[in-house]
């Protein structure tokens, strides 16, 4: 099993940057992927980015390509989401999730608010 804890959210002005962290613990699996999702008030949760733990392959939603970067630190067992050029529409609760064939494990979320 995997436990995930997000941190790094906060308030930032449009155009600014934040780095979110997702610390993982528990059993790890060769095909585990870690994804970032976000949910704004009144909207459905949406996919943001994903990284495959085994090979480091990354995937991004079109809305964040070129602005966000997902990465992992094997030594710290942590996944990061570097968010640059933030826009007010990026405001949401950000969650990390992990799984092999589906996202079975979810963190508690961290609030990101981008002001204009």
């Amino acid at each position: 099993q995997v436990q995930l804890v997000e941190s790094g959210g906060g308030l930032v002005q449009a155009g600014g940057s934040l780095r979110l962290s997702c610390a993982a613990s528990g059993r790890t699996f060769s095909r585990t992927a870690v994804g970032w999702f976000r949910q704004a008030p009144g909207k459905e949760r949406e996919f943001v980015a994903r990284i495959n733990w085994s090979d480091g392959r990354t995937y991004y939603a079109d809305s964040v390509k070129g602005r966000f970067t997902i990465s992992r630190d094997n030594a710290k067992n942590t996944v990061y989401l570097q968010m640059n050029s933030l826009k007010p529409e990026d405001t949401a609760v950000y969650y990390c999730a992990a799984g092999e064939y589906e996202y079975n494990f979810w963190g508690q979320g961290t609030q990101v608010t981008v002001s204009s």
Side-chain angles (χ1 to χ4, degrees):
Q1 305 298 307
V2 177
Q3 293 83 46
L4 306 172
V5 179
E6 303 98 329
S7 61
L11 175 64
V12 66
Q13 292 188 143
S17 299
L18 284 173
R19 188 180 72 164
L20 306 183
S21 298
C22 176
S25 62
R27 291 185 295 174
T28 57
F29 305 95
S30 62
R31 294 197 63 185
T32 296
V34 179
W36 285 97
F37 295 78
R38 65 188 183 187
Q39 187 168 25
K43 298 181 65 177
E44 291 187 347
R45 186 168 57 200
E46 65 174 337
F47 169 78
V48 175
R50 166 191 169 181
I51 186 166
N52 292 343
W53 195 261
S54 59
D55 60 12
R57 185 74 176 268
T58 59
Y59 307 84
Y60 297 93
D62 287 342
S63 60
V64 306
K65 284 181 179 177
R67 299 189 299 122
F68 292 10
T69 302
I70 189 170
S71 62
R72 73 189 195 279
D73 186 327
N74 293 351
K76 297 181 178 180
N77 208 31
T78 298
V79 170
Y80 302 98
L81 184 68
Q82 178 66 47
M83 305 186 296
N84 299 325
S85 301
L86 283 162
K87 305 174 180 179
E89 51 263 45
D90 295 317
T91 295
V93 177
Y94 283 70
Y95 301 88
C96 64
E100 294 189 342
Y101 301 100
E102 57 187 15
Y103 291 107
N104 300 312
F105 310 102
W106 293 80
Q108 84 288 352
T110 186
Q111 176 72 48
V112 171
T113 302
V114 184
S115 65
S116 59

